[in-house]
Amino acid sequence: MRYWFATFCLFLLSTGCAAFPEVREKPSFHNPFPQLARVAIIPFNNQSDVPTLNMDDVTLAYYGELQAIRGFEVVPVGVVMRALQATGSDLSDTEQIRNLGKMLGVDAVVVGSVTDFTPYYPKRMTLAVNWYATNPGFHPIPPGYGLPWGTAGEEFIPESHVWEAEFALAREQLATQTPTPSEPLDPLLNPDENQAIAIEGLPPNWPDPSGFIPDAPRTTAPEAMPQDDPIITQIRSYNENDSEFSERAEHYFFFLDDARNGGWQGFLDRSNDFIRFCCYSHITEMLSLRGGAGESQLAIRWGKRR
């Protein structure tokens, strides 16, 4: 009996990983904003100290990863570039960005930059991206909006999401308490505002934490309050030798079914694939922070991958 048991153990060891399946959860993401379904991406700008970085690769990588998200329709980059050449739009002017979006018939225009890049190990990349709504009546969507606050699902919100949502809320709240040169520093010189604080207990423009929970539908459309700020702003830095980043890259590569040799380490060694994964991480983090993460799917794979 012992002989057969030992033989069986040796057989399992000799077959290696093929004897046991790999079990992973495949994340799912979607567009949580139906009013922002059609998107145009402006070619990314290179603000790093690496002049040889091919910005077409970055733009196309962001385009490909965003188009793969359910609920988004992304205008081809070539169409956007021809529109830019035809109009000569100034991308530092919000109004001209919106006019370009109207001409392309999109709901939002993405303006992004690479502010830091290192092409050698350990590779490093920082992406700064702003989304501008074509409709000036759309206001910023803060991190944490649309997450299941106040429900049974609140306990499953990742700790990193909770921190970022609370941090964004605290910044907006503190902005109401920061004096500016155009405002009197002596609160006694502003009795109307002091009275509002005394009556309500909070300043009239104090951000309400319950704003993370979407309001119920209105019977009539709200009055437009135009603004020029981007509706979504996100800056993220990615480093190849960061353990959390490497773990996510391995997980991402598992579902690619890539036939090339080198595994996930070889995947990150290739500059184009590294850029692609950074764009994927940037987009999915942005959506996940705003209610765009769906239920993950269980995936079981037997044997060695190709």
Side-chain angles (χ1 to χ4, degrees):
M1 186 67 182
R2 292 180 179 178
Y3 170 78
W4 287 110
F5 178 75
T7 303
F8 179 71
C9 291
L10 288 173
F11 170 76
L12 290 181
L13 292 173
S14 65
T15 55
C17 296
F20 300 95
E22 285 190 81
V23 181
R24 304 206 184 194
E25 290 189 1
K26 183 178 182 180
S28 172
F29 302 96
H30 62 272
N31 177 10
F33 308 113
Q35 72 273 34
L36 303 176
R38 187 170 164 82
V39 180
I41 302 172
I42 302 296
F44 275 58
N45 185 33
N46 185 7
Q47 295 180 334
S48 73
D49 57 358
V50 181
T52 57
L53 175 60
N54 190 331
M55 299 312 297
D56 289 341
D57 290 344
V58 180
T59 306
L60 290 172
Y62 195 94
Y63 164 85
E65 293 301 327
L66 184 62
Q67 183 63 78
I69 301 294
R70 183 177 55 188
F72 282 113
E73 178 188 352
V74 189
V75 176
V77 176
V79 175
V80 178
M81 293 181 67
R82 287 192 291 272
L84 278 172
Q85 294 170 357
T87 60
S89 300
D90 179 6
L91 300 182
S92 63
D93 187 312
T94 304
E95 188 61 31
Q96 293 194 38
I97 294 175
R98 287 202 173 108
N99 289 337
L100 178 67
K102 291 175 183 177
M103 188 182 78
L104 292 169
V106 298
D107 305 313
V109 178
V110 178
V111 180
S113 298
V114 176
T115 60
D116 179 47
F117 184 75
T118 299
Y120 308 108
Y121 182 86
K123 293 185 180 67
R124 190 176 67 242
M125 187 177 192
T126 299
L127 287 168
V129 179
N130 290 323
W131 285 49
Y132 291 89
T134 304
N135 185 341
F138 289 172
H139 283 233
I141 305 169
Y145 181 85
L147 295 182
W149 308 104
T151 69
E154 182 173 347
E155 64 175 306
F156 300 107
I157 299 175
E159 184 179 350
S160 60
H161 289 19
V162 174
W163 179 89
E164 189 155 350
E166 292 177 343
F167 187 81
L169 175 63
R171 287 189 60 184
E172 294 299 320
Q173 290 177 337
L174 287 172
T176 68
Q177 307 299 296
T178 304
T180 63
S182 60
E183 296 177 353
L185 298 180
D186 186 354
L188 297 178
L189 299 179
N190 194 355
D192 293 336
E193 184 174 340
N194 289 340
Q195 185 176 5
I197 294 175
I199 295 175
E200 301 292 339
L202 292 171
N205 59 343
W206 182 260
D208 185 357
S210 64
F212 285 135
I213 303 175
D215 296 330
R218 298 169 59 102
T219 56
T220 59
E223 181 181 355
M225 300 173 61
Q227 59 88 37
D228 292 329
D229 294 330
I231 56 171
I232 297 176
T233 296
Q234 180 162 291
I235 301 176
R236 287 289 187 276
S237 294
Y238 304 103
N239 196 315
E240 187 179 8
N241 65 359
D242 178 75
S243 59
E244 185 176 344
F245 178 81
S246 298
E247 184 177 346
R248 291 202 309 267
E250 181 184 5
H251 193 79
Y252 175 84
F253 181 79
F254 177 85
F255 295 101
L256 280 184
D257 198 22
D258 195 322
R260 292 173 293 182
N261 294 326
W264 66 269
Q265 293 95 337
F267 173 79
L268 287 182
D269 284 341
R270 295 184 285 270
S271 183
N272 285 352
D273 289 333
F274 173 77
I275 292 172
R276 174 185 175 184
F277 179 64
C278 288
C279 290
Y280 166 83
S281 298
H282 197 277
I283 292 170
T284 53
E285 286 174 27
M286 176 193 72
L287 295 176
S288 179
L289 274 166
R290 294 164 176 84
E295 292 186 4
S296 58
Q297 300 175 350
L298 194 65
I300 301 176
R301 181 173 293 172
W302 288 87
K304 296 182 180 179
R305 287 173 287 174
R306 295 183 298 167

